[in-house]
């Protein structure tokens, strides 16, 4: 089983794994991100999330190795869904500059973090988002 390889990185603490796709593991890391510096990929099918999750504006602050962030609704059912990941009104304060892929269905904030660098970003997909501006100044 391919998934077993990543589970063997640390069976008991998902913050010590490099790739997370099981919704319980991803939610555990989002709720307690301290110590998640090994995480390189987070993928969460939001159809599997049963309750609203309030994210900290600094949820990704310790994930400096994060290259793939994917919050999606399976089968593109986002257009008929409500976002289950909520942010404070001012949004995220940080996204790692190592990010290569950012896919977030129904992104709940009007902007991406001001200090988010696009240097490594290869894929940006944010359907049904609340974005009114992507970035300003030197990041354009």
């Amino acid at each position: 089983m391919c998934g077993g390889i990543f589970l063997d990185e640390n069976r008991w603490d998902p913050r010590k794994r490099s790739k997370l796709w099981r919704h319980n593991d991803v939610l555990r890391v989002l709720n307690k991100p301290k110590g998640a510096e090994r995480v390189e990929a987070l993928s969460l099918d939001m159809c599997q999330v049963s309750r609203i999750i309030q994210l900290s504006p600094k949820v990704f602050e310790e994930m400096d190795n994060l290259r793939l962030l994917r919050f999606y609704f399976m089968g593109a059912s986002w257009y008929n869904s409500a976002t289950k990941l909520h942010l404070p009104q001012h949004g995220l304060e940080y996204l790692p500059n190592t990010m290569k892929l950012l896919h977030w269905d129904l992104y709940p904030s009007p902007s991406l973090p001001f200090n988010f660098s696009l240097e490594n970003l290869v894929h940006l997909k944010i359907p049904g988002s609340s974005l009114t501006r992507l970035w300003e100044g030197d990041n354009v």
Side-chain angles (χ1 to χ4, degrees):
M1 176 167 133
C2 180
I5 294 169
F6 299 111
L7 287 176
D8 288 342
E9 288 179 350
N10 192 309
R11 185 170 298 279
W12 310 115
D13 188 354
R15 295 172 301 171
K16 305 294 184 205
R17 293 187 217 138
S18 59
K19 293 161 186 66
L20 300 170
W21 65 93
R22 292 181 173 181
H23 73 280
N24 287 335
D25 292 341
V26 173
L27 294 176
R28 188 170 163 200
V29 168
L30 293 176
N31 285 324
K32 294 194 183 222
K34 190 150 182 79
E37 54 274 340
R38 288 202 59 204
V39 175
E40 296 176 15
L42 285 173
S43 182
L44 176 65
D45 177 0
M46 290 191 285
C47 292
Q48 297 180 0
V49 178
S50 60
R51 60 184 173 85
I52 292 174
I53 307 296
Q54 183 66 43
L55 296 176
S56 161
K58 298 179 181 188
V59 66
F60 302 109
E61 194 169 61
E62 291 198 24
M63 296 185 209
D64 284 331
N65 291 313
L66 190 63
R67 294 180 299 180
L68 181 146
L69 180 60
R70 185 174 179 230
F71 296 142
Y72 66 99
F73 287 90
M74 183 58 89
S77 61
W78 61 265
Y79 61 87
N80 208 13
S81 301
T83 186
K84 295 177 183 174
L85 299 178
H86 288 209
L87 292 168
Q89 187 172 1
H90 62 279
L92 287 175
E93 291 180 13
Y94 179 81
L95 277 173
N97 292 330
T98 53
M99 191 80 64
K100 292 184 180 293
L101 183 145
L102 176 58
H103 175 172
W104 192 325
D105 292 349
L106 302 176
Y107 179 74
S109 181
S111 65
L112 293 173
F114 175 72
N115 59 356
F116 178 52
S117 171
L118 306 173
E119 184 175 333
N120 295 310
L121 194 65
V122 175
H123 183 86
L124 176 66
K125 184 174 182 180
I126 311 178
S129 76
S130 297
L131 280 175
T132 56
R133 64 184 160 93
L134 286 175
W135 42 78
E136 295 177 343
D138 293 338
N139 284 345
V140 175

